[in-house]
Amino acid sequence: MSPADLATAGTDVLVAGTLVLWAALVVRAPAALRSPPRRRMLIALASLATSITIALDPVAGLLERAFRPGTSCGIVTNVWGVISSALILDFVLAATSRRRPLLVYGGAAVAGTTLVLLTTGAATTGCVTPADAPWFGLFWWLLCLAHVLGTGPAAVLCARYARRATTRPLRAGLSMLTAGFASSTVFWGVVVPAYLVTLSPWLGAAFSLNAGLTAWIMALGVALPQLLRMHRAAGDRRTARRLEPVWRRLVTSVPHVHLPESGHWASDLRLYRRIIEIRDAILVLADYAGADTIEAARAHVRGRRGAEALAAACWLPLAQAAKARGEAPRAAAAATNESGTEWADEVAFALTLAEHWDSPLVRAFRQEPQRQR
């Protein structure tokens, strides 16, 4: 592979990553706009996406034609990079309750004006090159410093909040944003200075690939929390459908445990209500089964995986039948909840109950002669 091949592959990655990043930002924008902290983060990420976008050849060419005569597309791109870094730094300071907009944006204005003055009169075609502003000049060091001051603290902030995140989607999203800001920091803090010193064609060819990877990582950081929530919601809906038959049987027998529903409930809340109502119905029906029947059911399934749920599947229909016949509840029945103390245990218990309600093992218990009395 030659540097030209690397540059071509990097451009493909960059174009695709930029499109995906913008799509992710557009999808997340409605929710982010309702929250000031999320809105600031969205603005910071959109500014970074804009920096990547205007560096693409088609967009850079349009800028070059739009700003002739005068400054080239290179200085427009680089000045926007300074502004983007200021927006990112402002987001970081706001998140830490240390916002200094005058200092941040005033410094960006000074840095941007300095970049313009340093390249005034340069006969540039395309982006600013080391021929226009050599590596030892103020232009490049000021530009690299501006980018690092924005993306470096943002990487640290996202890493800190990722460690404190209480949900998996939020932790995953913040971790990806940490990687994205860190990638940009490495690019401007290491790759660009190394290229300016060595003029290595391989480092120059890797620019597009590095920016493309940053775009992809950022896109994942923006989209991943929503994707994980959608995946979890789909799983909740599947679980609720699997529990539907047994839930209906139980709330029909014990209707007072079923509370009115709203058609606008989220899938996780609907599943939660299903599980709670199943558990409450089991606690009520246990009094109609009696301690002897419950213990016999436990002995019937002892040693099997999910034994408590299997035992409940054995005795619940008998308790339902007793309640339907009008029998009185039996005192001192074993009405304890053995499904577990964790939510995952509750769900697993209910799923096992639903899966084995009519299994051969359970039917064998119900059909024993002594159960028919």
Side-chain angles (χ1 to χ4, degrees):
M1 175 183 285
S2 66
D5 295 330
L6 178 60
T8 300
T11 299
D12 294 338
V13 173
L14 176 58
V15 171
T18 303
L19 293 174
V20 173
L21 175 56
W22 278 114
L25 289 172
V26 169
V27 170
R28 293 299 303 276
L33 292 175
R34 293 191 292 266
S35 167
R38 292 181 181 179
R39 184 165 60 246
R40 291 192 187 97
M41 174 176 275
L42 180 72
I43 292 171
L45 293 173
S47 68
L48 182 61
T50 303
S51 296
I52 296 172
T53 302
I54 62 178
L56 295 173
D57 286 339
V59 181
L62 290 174
L63 287 173
E64 181 183 353
R65 290 191 294 272
F67 284 87
R68 282 182 178 178
T71 56
S72 71
C73 81
I75 193 60
V76 172
T77 302
N78 290 318
V79 169
W80 174 257
V82 173
I83 298 172
S84 170
S85 295
L87 290 167
I88 295 171
L89 183 58
D90 185 43
F91 151 69
V92 173
L93 293 176
T96 57
S97 301
R98 298 174 182 175
R99 193 165 182 245
R100 300 290 186 274
L102 182 60
L103 177 62
V104 171
Y105 293 111
V110 171
T113 302
T114 304
L115 294 182
V116 172
L117 293 175
L118 288 172
T119 55
T120 299
T124 57
T125 57
C127 291
V128 177
T129 68
D132 306 311
W135 70 269
F136 50 82
L138 178 61
F139 178 93
W140 289 111
W141 292 112
L142 185 60
L143 182 62
C144 291
L145 179 62
H147 279 280
V148 170
L149 284 177
T151 57
V156 174
L157 178 72
C158 290
R160 180 189 303 173
Y161 279 97
R163 289 195 298 269
R164 298 176 182 176
T166 56
T167 65
R168 180 187 172 196
L170 181 60
R171 183 165 53 251
L174 287 171
S175 297
M176 295 305 298
L177 290 178
T178 299
F181 282 123
S183 173
S184 184
T185 303
V186 170
F187 177 74
W188 287 103
V190 178
V191 177
V192 172
Y195 170 73
L196 294 172
V197 172
T198 64
L199 297 181
S200 166
W202 285 100
L203 286 175
F207 279 12
S208 295
L209 181 60
N210 187 286
L213 291 176
T214 299
W216 273 103
I217 294 171
M218 287 294 189
L220 285 175
V222 173
L224 196 55
Q226 187 65 24
L227 292 175
L228 289 176
R229 291 188 188 100
M230 291 171 61
H231 179 266
R232 179 176 179 178
D236 288 343
R237 287 192 293 270
R238 287 194 299 271
T239 301
R241 284 195 297 270
R242 291 172 61 186
L243 295 179
E244 184 80 11
V246 69
W247 170 78
R248 288 198 177 279
R249 289 188 180 102
L250 293 175
V251 297
T252 299
S253 293
V254 193
H256 70 268
V257 304
H258 178 42
L259 300 178
E261 295 189 19
S262 168
H264 303 289
W265 279 356
S267 57
D268 58 342
L269 180 57
R270 189 177 299 277
L271 176 62
Y272 176 80
R273 288 290 300 272
R274 291 283 189 271
I275 298 292
I276 295 302
E277 289 168 359
I278 288 172
R279 183 181 65 183
D280 289 347
I282 291 173
L283 292 175
V284 172
L285 289 171
D287 289 337
Y288 290 90
D292 293 343
T293 300
I294 291 176
E295 288 304 321
R298 287 172 176 165
H300 182 72
V301 299
R302 185 169 290 123
R304 296 180 181 273
R305 186 176 181 179
E308 197 61 36
L310 290 172
C314 289
W315 61 259
L316 273 171
L318 303 177
Q320 288 177 298
K323 185 175 184 297
R325 291 193 298 268
E327 295 183 12
R330 307 181 188 184
T336 57
N337 174 38
E338 301 291 342
S339 58
T341 57
E342 299 293 335
W343 177 246
D345 296 332
E346 295 271 9
V347 175
F349 176 92
L351 286 173
T352 301
L353 176 65
E355 181 181 353
H356 293 278
W357 186 271
D358 290 316
S359 68
L361 177 68
V362 169
R363 287 200 303 269
F365 176 83
R366 299 173 191 166
Q367 292 168 359
E368 291 180 10
Q370 60 267 34
R371 311 292 165 222
Q372 308 304 318
R373 295 183 302 179

